[in-house]
Amino acid sequence: MATFDALDAPKHIKPELMPEFRKALADAEAQGQEVYSVIIGKGVPLMYSVRDKTP
């Protein structure tokens, strides 16, 4: 397992899981938050670190 910045994470995620990853980003955005890091194991996003957006 490794931790990646959310902007670098797509390089390490299996292509078939990208729609789910994009949905997680969109869900966070809809709640006024942002995903800033992702723990990935064998191409699978396992955990997202989310924080409130700062104005």
Side-chain angles (χ1 to χ4, degrees):
M1 289 189 294
T3 302
F4 297 96
D5 181 89
L7 297 175
D8 293 329
K11 300 176 197 170
H12 305 280
I13 295 174
K14 291 180 180 180
E16 62 268 22
L17 298 175
M18 283 304 296
E20 182 179 325
F21 177 69
R22 286 190 200 103
K23 183 179 180 322
L25 296 178
D27 289 349
E29 180 77 23
Q31 296 176 19
Q33 299 177 322
E34 63 182 347
V35 175
Y36 66 93
S37 69
V38 183
I39 296 176
I40 300 172
K42 297 184 180 180
V44 178
L46 302 172
M47 188 182 323
Y48 301 93
S49 296
V50 181
R51 63 182 168 210
D52 290 335
K53 283 188 170 186
T54 54

